Amino acid sequence: MNKSRIIELRQTLHKFPELSGHEEQTAERVASWLKECDPDELLTGIGGHGIVAVWKGEVPGSEVVLRADLDALPIEEVNDLPYRSKNPGTAHLCGHDGHIAILCAMAESLSKKPPRKGRVTLLFQPSEENGEGAQKMLADPAMEKFSPDFVFALHNIPGYPLRSVIVKENSFSAAVNSILIRLKGKTAHAAEPENGFNPAQALAEIVQDSLLLGVSDIDDPEMRIITPVYAMLGEKAYGTSAGDAEIHLTLRCWNNQNLRRLESEIENLVSVIADKYHLKFDVDYTQTFFANMNDKECVEYVREAAEKNGLTIFEKNTPFKWGEDFGFFTSRYKGCMFGLGAGETCPALHNPDYDFPDELIETGVAIFSGITDIITG
């Protein structure tokens, strides 16, 4: 691996971040790099700006997919770096620039040493942060023949020792969904609210009663986190009793089935309260993330690769509470997401002073190479 060149790529990606659905220049840079690595197949523009590159072995075997994410966050970076973001209000503060660099280094490695059997596919996914990219890529007609045996992804994790490997069987990260609740009443004169249907009390009860459904203990397999994130009532019209309201809640559970049940309970709760106050309502969802369900066999491949490279392994007892769009892949295929420790003093993900540690590129390549060597020989 040409360390200086791959670090330069990572820092260039950091300098020019793009938001979900707008990763055009990022995808162009990645595609240009991949062309130099001479894959057997190279597909671009998949599900938006997604990219798929394939290296084939000499004999049939399993297909292993390694995935990275392309998008950045709508947050202003505060770091004083020579490669600081040049796009105002946008920055790679989750480390996707580093994840991309790891897969680009893997492409370089595969160009020199392709798999002996089967296939290794590198997949660069757009729109991870809003939970839309995985589904769009898999729905693209160009992916009709896509049927991998194993899918793997990594995420850097601040707070763990640098270059350590974090693994967990079953749920690795939470199932997350945001519910949008809209209430429709009837305006009236503010002096005569009895002539209308003001949704204020309904809004308050929905928030309070929803929170009562929560289970905050992360050691409980029935964990439920309900977070109010937005509310709106009426207009800034002081002579008018409000007639409309809107509440957004983010819901988290350890698995997809529990999240579906929680969604149903909240929808029923909204229906009862809306009826009580003579309101119409509708419910919608946005930024849906499936839980990352790690297959036991795939986790063992990660452990074996980490051990062969002499890396410290942390066995996590509970899943991470954040959502990750790779869960859509693990809902369809045998797979595993694992973590790479980004350092105990590294700023947290999505913080304005976060920056991906370049030392992790070599570690990520070592694990991914170890996994593919085990499966494809």
Side-chain angles (χ1 to χ4, degrees):
M1 182 180 81
N2 187 328
K3 290 185 183 180
S4 59
R5 186 165 177 256
I6 198 69
I7 289 173
E8 181 183 3
L9 171 65
R10 200 286 292 182
Q11 294 180 356
T12 299
L13 293 168
H14 188 95
K15 190 184 295 186
F16 301 103
E18 296 172 298
L19 297 176
S20 302
H22 301 278
E23 309 94 337
E24 184 175 357
Q25 290 185 12
T26 302
E28 287 176 359
R29 286 189 173 90
V30 171
S32 177
W33 179 284
L34 293 174
K35 286 174 185 175
E36 294 181 17
C37 298
D38 197 27
D40 294 299
E41 293 180 39
L42 180 61
L43 304 174
T44 60
I46 307 299
H49 298 298
I51 302 171
V52 175
V54 182
W55 283 263
K56 300 178 182 178
E58 296 177 357
V59 295
S62 298
E63 180 178 7
V64 182
V65 172
L66 310 177
R67 172 274 206 173
D69 25 25
L70 297 172
D71 51 344
L73 287 161
I75 304 173
E76 186 72 32
E77 182 176 17
V78 300
N79 292 317
D80 185 17
L81 300 167
Y83 52 88
R84 177 179 172 165
S85 172
K86 289 188 173 293
N87 296 339
T90 305
H92 271 298
L93 301 175
C94 199
H96 294 184
D97 50 344
H99 302 166
I100 297 167
I102 289 169
L103 275 207
C104 285
M106 276 297 300
E108 186 181 86
S109 175
L110 288 164
S111 70
K112 298 172 183 176
K113 183 189 173 184
R116 187 183 67 82
K117 59 183 179 180
R119 296 152 59 99
V120 175
T121 297
L122 305 184
L123 187 150
F124 297 82
Q125 180 202 315
S127 299
E128 187 283 321
E129 293 290 353
N130 63 11
E132 296 179 0
Q135 187 169 2
K136 286 183 177 179
M137 283 197 76
L138 292 181
D140 193 300
M143 301 288 280
E144 286 180 359
K145 296 181 181 180
F146 185 78
S147 183
D149 298 281
F150 305 100
V151 293
F152 293 89
L154 60 78
H155 208 296
N156 76 96
I157 311 289
Y160 286 82
L162 189 66
R163 303 183 72 240
S164 60
V165 180
I166 302 103
V167 298
K168 186 184 179 301
E169 294 178 10
N170 299 315
S171 178
F172 183 80
S173 64
V176 183
N177 211 354
S178 293
I179 183 170
L180 317 181
I181 303 161
R182 301 179 185 90
L183 303 172
K184 179 69 175 178
K186 177 185 175 185
T187 59
H189 197 292
E192 300 173 333
E194 67 275 11
N195 291 332
F197 299 114
N198 190 318
Q201 287 180 283
L203 185 154
E205 286 186 26
I206 288 170
V207 172
Q208 290 177 330
D209 291 359
S210 294
L211 291 175
L212 292 175
L213 299 174
V215 178
S216 60
D217 183 2
I218 63 171
D219 292 317
D220 191 328
E222 300 299 317
M223 185 278 295
R224 297 169 153 196
I225 295 178
I226 298 106
T227 308
V229 295
Y230 173 81
M232 180 279 294
L233 175 71
E235 305 288 342
K236 293 180 182 178
Y238 301 101
T240 303
S241 176
D244 299 280
E246 190 166 328
I247 315 109
H248 298 187
L249 308 171
T250 295
L251 316 177
R252 299 172 193 273
C253 296
W254 285 149
N255 60 61
N256 303 320
Q257 294 78 14
N258 285 358
L259 184 60
R260 299 290 92 80
R261 283 197 292 271
L262 177 58
E263 291 164 357
S264 179
E265 288 178 35
I266 289 180
E267 287 188 28
N268 289 337
L269 180 152
V270 171
S271 178
V272 169
I273 294 174
D275 185 65
K276 175 182 174 181
Y277 291 102
H278 310 288
L279 305 171
K280 295 179 181 179
F281 75 94
D282 67 76
V283 170
D284 200 1
Y285 292 91
T286 189
Q287 300 206 1
T288 303
F289 296 87
F290 285 67
N292 272 290
M293 300 305 294
N294 283 350
D295 176 78
K296 184 177 181 180
E297 179 184 0
C298 293
V299 175
E300 190 54 42
Y301 290 142
V302 175
R303 290 193 188 104
E304 187 175 342
E307 288 169 356
K308 285 184 176 179
N309 284 280
L311 299 171
T312 301
I313 299 174
F314 283 88
E315 299 280 349
K316 199 166 189 316
N317 294 323
T318 58
F320 290 99
K321 291 190 288 183
W322 35 258
E324 224 289 351
D325 199 25
F326 187 66
F328 193 79
F329 288 97
T330 63
S331 73
R332 294 195 174 191
Y333 311 107
K334 291 178 66 173
C336 172
M337 170 167 271
F338 61 95
L340 289 184
E344 292 164 293
T345 61
C346 179
L349 301 174
H350 294 216
N351 279 27
D353 57 344
Y354 167 88
D355 183 37
F356 180 88
D358 287 319
E359 301 94 322
L360 284 187
I361 296 173
E362 190 172 11
T363 307
V365 172
I367 298 295
F368 276 154
S369 295
I371 292 166
T372 55
D373 287 347
I374 294 166
I375 298 173
T376 66

